[in-house]
Amino acid sequence: MSKYWSEAIRSLTPYVPGEQPKGSNIIKLNTNENPFPPSPMVLEAIHQFDTDRLRLYPDPDSSALKQSLADHFHVKTDQVFVGNGSDEVLAHTFMAFFRHPEPLLMPDISYSFYDVYANLYGIDVRHIPLQDDFCIALDDYSEANGGIIFANPNAPTGRALTLDQINALLQRNTESVVVVDEAYVDFGAETAIKLVEQYSNLLVVQTLSKSRSLAGMRVGFAIGSAELIDGLERVKNSFNSYPLDMLAQVTATAAIKDVAYFTQTTQQIIKTREWTNEQLLALGFKIIPSKTNFVFASHRYIEAAELMGFLRTHQILVRHFSRPGIDNHLRITIGTEEEMHAMINCLKRHPDIISM
Ligand SMILES: *Cc1c(COP(=O)(O)O)cnc(C)c1O
């Protein structure tokens, strides 16, 4: 606390990202990064990049990137917004659409940044409990609200809703903006982008950090009606006209265009996820069916915190949340086949698993 701080920042609770260790011998399964390098077309775009251009400001509208996203998702360019990671897109979304007298509705267990933004912008939140099976209970999102946000598939549970369920919510909730955060949708769930033509209050947010291996470039985007995108542009141009640097724009454009590589790598991760699930089940874990690049698992007898510590002493990082309701679960990112073999082999050496 400092006397120089403005009143508004005294009560903030900032987001705490997963650890980024400095060492190199670590198997990093804690922040849902992609184990594969970005597309070869991304490397090519970097090689071709004329560094002399760095003297100039980048295209403030990221026009080429928006065009590639519009082509890829069969929408118009004025239905596309891009930002410095989907975290920034989400921040602008909260500012643009959720500051209303009625509360914002969201699942009680979801991406913890939502509460951070609500707190930052003074937005009142109503947390709706998940069902016992960890599914998002969309039927319970029926009260008057200033907006609705959820991740699909949800994080950190990995559970996905169907498009029919989201469609039913949109049919009854027409007066406020519904945001679907699809950070993990490419690992087996169905995107709601096909519903944006039908519902002008639907905004779908995605990122290049997970399924396109570009977490370090910081590129996220939103697709919705032109009127929602216009609202986001107003916030963006009141905050930072140049959120995407030149390299982010050219590499993201290349990544979106390389559909073959994207398909191959996401399929491989899905395959490795299913293998990991089987192995964990055999070792006495309970697994929530995942449509993401991570699994959310709890052991029948051994505490999650203990297992996280054990893996950590063997240089394997996984994520554990101390929040009640999920504090006996581990969120394990799907890495390469080799990394997952190492993780499973390590668990097999835990004394309580050996004696099972
Ligand atoms: C990773 C993640 C994000 C943020 O992605 P960036 O584009 O890297 O900022 C947003 N939402 C969810 C649910 C995520 O897991």
Side-chain angles (χ1 to χ4, degrees), residues 24-30 314-318 338-340 342-343:
S24 57
N25 271 335
I26 289 170
I27 298 185
K28 206 174 162 302
L29 308 175
N30 66 331
H314 294 86
Q315 317 267 39
I316 299 174
L317 298 188
V318 300
E338 296 72 36
E339 288 173 323
M340 300 325 275
M343 193 270 304

Side-chain angles (χ1 to χ4, degrees), residues 44 57 114 119 140 163 173 195-196 240 269 292 314 332:
E44 182 60 22
Y57 282 103
Y114 304 153
N119 191 221
D140 298 346
L163 206 53
N173 191 94
L195 300 178
V196 298
N240 177 4
I269 289 168
T292 63
H314 294 86
I332 307 170

Side-chain angles (χ1 to χ4, degrees), residues 32 84-88 90 111 114 151 155 181 183-184 206-210 215 218-220:
N32 297 342
N84 190 261
S86 61
D87 284 340
E88 187 185 75
L90 290 166
Y111 185 40
Y114 304 153
D181 178 353
Y184 301 104
Q206 291 193 9
T207 174
L208 278 75
S209 297
K210 277 95 186 207
R218 312 304 303 126
V219 184

